[in-house]
Amino acid sequence: MNYKNINKVALVAILLIAFGLPLVIRSATYLHILVLLFFYAYLTTSWNLVGGFAGVLPLGHAAFVGIGAYTSTILFLQYGISPWIGMLVGGVLATIAGILIGLPTFKMRGAYFALATIAFAEGFRVIVENIDYIGPFKINGPRGLQIPPLDIGLANFMFASKEPYYYIILIMLVAVVVLTYVISRSKLGYYLNAGGEEPEAAMALGVNVARAKLIAMAMSSFLTAMAGTFYAQFTLYIHPKSIISLDLSFEIAFIALIGGRGSIAGPILGALLLRPVGDFSRIYFGDTLPGMHLIIFGLVLILVMHYQPRGLQEPLTRLYNNLIRRITHNTTGR
């Protein structure tokens, strides 16, 4: 069995295990943890389209999560529109917001772009937190919005058990990973990599770096907003500090940077490794030291950037490749 075939078998095995876990794990608590783990892996992979391949550092993606969550929730509560439709509407609104942010800020370099995205996200949170209405739309200020679990069913994106949420976010994660893989091997992916590493050289060769980054930002914003709708329907309650906070934006970036930004597996590995750390730190330090998980992430980030600047995916990939080579050698006898 050659290297490619082993990779295909491993990928199929991982997918079968992922889709079969709810048949083995019956605990609602464990399924809840897995749903959140996949949720963060999805968020980080969506962030990676612009924060990884485009070589910039957006730190305001929580705003897009909030746009998606509030849009679908308001449309459902006030107008009875299915959250599935609200998910698409929220995605479009987030895309517009992402383009409006990207147009002036992609010309900035280094920390200036990151600071601009932080300013947008924090400004959006302050607005949502301090007003009850935006035009005819009730957002309820700091009290947030609660979705009554009355109409259970697929049409209303509302379920009585964790299993449907598990499969929905798993399918979303697989879809965004496939999309990332396709983009990474497309002309857009090559443009993004070139513009992220050597923008002046890429522009000298005729690559429209700003346009490529803007497309990546639009796609990332749309996909992130879809995650916001999922989160709203999963928790049935949203408020500004939980869904538009800088903590969420920083956590997404930390997971990507530690896992390995600009790679396919990095965001997923980062979520698998760091989400349990975040959950346990909230359990043990949540009351006495809130935000301790971000301090832990920061310390891990310092260590990873010092010893593995390309993220944890690089040594893990080397380990995996060595294992595959041994298996191939033993199988072929060469």
Side-chain angles (χ1 to χ4, degrees), residues 47-84:
W47 180 94
N48 194 45
L49 285 171
V50 64
F53 294 113
V56 294
L57 188 64
L59 294 176
H61 263 51
F64 305 131
V65 179
I67 290 172
Y70 271 91
T71 299
S72 62
T73 302
I74 290 169
L75 291 177
F76 179 66
L77 292 178
Q78 294 186 216
Y79 303 100
I81 297 173
S82 170
W84 295 104

Side-chain angles (χ1 to χ4, degrees), residues 209-288:
V209 174
R211 180 175 177 272
K213 289 181 178 181
L214 201 60
I215 293 172
M217 184 70 161
M219 290 190 295
S220 179
S221 303
F222 184 91
L223 294 168
T224 303
M226 292 179 68
T229 296
F230 174 85
Y231 185 83
Q233 295 303 126
F234 180 61
T235 61
L236 298 180
Y237 175 66
I238 56 172
H239 62 96
K241 285 189 177 179
S242 70
I243 205 165
I244 319 177
S245 68
L246 286 179
D247 286 5
L248 178 58
S249 294
F250 292 158
E251 193 167 350
I252 295 169
F254 281 152
I255 290 172
L257 292 168
I258 293 169
R261 64 190 291 203
S263 64
I264 306 296
I268 300 173
L269 290 172
L272 288 172
L273 295 170
L274 294 177
R275 274 306 303 167
V277 174
D279 290 333
F280 283 117
S281 69
R282 288 187 182 94
I283 292 171
Y284 292 107
F285 303 113
D287 294 333
T288 56

